[in-house]
Amino acid sequence: MILEVDTHCHTVASGHAYSTVVENAHVAAKKGLKMIAITDHGPALPGGPHYYHFGNIKVLPRQIEGVYILRGIEANILDYNGNLDLQEAYLKNLDIVLAGFHTFCYPGGSVEENTMAAINAMKNPHVDILVHPGNPEFPIDIDKVVRAAVDYNVHIEINNSSFTVSRRGSEENCILIAKKAAALGAKISVGSDAHICYDVGNSDKAIRIIKEAGISEENVLNTSIEKVIAFLKSKGRDIVPECKSNTKI
Ligand SMILES: [Zn+2]
Ligand SMILES: [Zn+2]
């Protein structure tokens, strides 16, 4: 399985990541990726950017070194109602919105509370991808969350860094999530969750889990740039006209 798109990359704007947009794009081009999403953490995360960052993100060129750039966020789910840490006025102008649980931003809760929070966040029409739902720190009812992802046209992320540097103990849950997604035909996205440019596009372990679960390539978002554009269009965003007219660097 070859991935053309990395839907989850951080920059120095996140406060605990160490590369720039340009560096991420450079590595992406070298690795043969066609598109990356710049998805810095939302304002609620300590060290995260002010909401002005997301208001001004339109200054990013549509292409750098031939790699398409999506202007996004990894928003924080704040509570059991699924509220996010960026106002709708900003969310609606982004190309892609990831949402997930993070320490210091979400209080944690029972399986029922976490499940409710995740499902309520996915009901937000601006949310495209539920990130790292296998995190054992915030256990969820996998069956209910994957079913809701199908119902609300949200992709479930298999996060490669969950098997390398972050969220220890995720693998077992991610395997169960992937198997449930395969059974229900849920859509999956793969994120490197790179916090330094060298990790952009890293997806080996996530792909292994996806393949072992029996998820069809068709249901993996990142296997083609056209699939990503079509999905974003289905969520009410059309980046194609701007891509055609915008400056290339
Ligand atoms: Zn981070
Ligand atoms: Zn995250």
Side-chain angles (χ1 to χ4, degrees):
M1 193 180 293
I2 307 278
L3 303 187
E4 292 186 350
V5 183
D6 188 345
T7 43
H8 191 161
C9 303
H10 294 270
T11 75
V12 285
S14 280
H16 58 269
Y18 309 94
S19 297
T20 63
V21 173
V22 174
E23 289 162 346
N24 283 345
H26 180 69
V27 171
K30 281 185 117 178
K31 290 185 176 179
L33 291 173
K34 293 185 178 171
M35 175 187 266
I36 58 172
I38 301 298
T39 54
D40 283 302
H41 288 284
L45 200 82
H50 189 268
Y51 65 81
Y52 282 7
H53 167 93
F54 302 100
N56 199 37
I57 201 168
K58 57 188 179 291
V59 301
L60 294 185
R62 277 298 177 198
Q63 277 190 51
I64 300 174
E65 295 189 43
V67 176
Y68 278 94
I69 306 294
L70 293 178
R71 304 154 182 170
I73 183 173
E74 182 185 11
N76 293 292
I77 299 173
L78 298 174
D79 52 37
Y80 308 138
N81 293 323
N83 285 309
L84 303 180
D85 61 340
L86 192 68
Q87 303 100 303
E88 193 185 358
Y90 292 91
L91 289 175
K92 72 177 189 195
N93 288 323
L94 295 173
D95 298 327
I96 188 162
V97 174
L98 283 47
F101 298 126
H102 295 94
T103 314
F104 301 118
C105 302
Y106 174 74
S110 64
V111 169
E112 290 71 27
E113 286 165 334
N114 296 337
T115 300
M116 184 167 64
I119 292 174
N120 283 335
M122 288 192 287
K123 285 181 185 171
N124 183 327
H126 301 297
V127 170
D128 303 302
I129 298 173
L130 181 72
V131 292
H132 45 67
N135 188 353
E137 195 182 341
F138 306 110
I140 52 163
D141 182 321
I142 289 171
D143 182 71
K144 285 185 179 157
V145 168
V146 175
R147 282 180 196 279
V150 175
D151 289 346
Y152 298 113
N153 190 21
V154 170
H155 283 63
I156 294 278
E157 183 188 66
I158 301 293
N159 183 305
N160 201 68
S161 81
S162 293
F163 316 120
T164 54
V165 292
S166 303
R167 297 172 291 277
R168 297 258 174 244
S170 290
E171 186 158 345
E172 201 179 318
N173 292 336
C174 291
I175 290 168
L176 294 173
I177 289 167
K179 284 182 177 164
K180 182 59 72 176
L184 297 175
K187 303 276 173 47
I188 290 291
S189 79
V190 179
S192 71
D193 200 1
H195 282 65
I196 190 158
C197 59
Y198 309 111
D199 286 340
V200 169
N202 283 0
S203 53
D204 291 1
K205 295 199 171 181
I207 288 175
R208 198 193 66 218
I209 283 175
I210 284 168
K211 279 186 175 168
E212 284 174 6
I215 293 169
S216 71
E217 190 161 332
E218 187 192 327
N219 283 342
V220 181
L221 179 68
N222 319 57
T223 53
S224 94
I225 189 169
E226 288 77 18
K227 212 188 285 183
V228 175
I229 289 168
F231 167 61
L232 294 175
K233 206 165 183 177
S234 79
K235 300 285 283 194
R237 304 189 188 88
D238 192 0
I239 64 165
V240 174
E242 206 195 331
C243 285
K244 283 184 177 157
S245 63
N246 215 320
T247 325
K248 295 173 184 177
I249 292 173

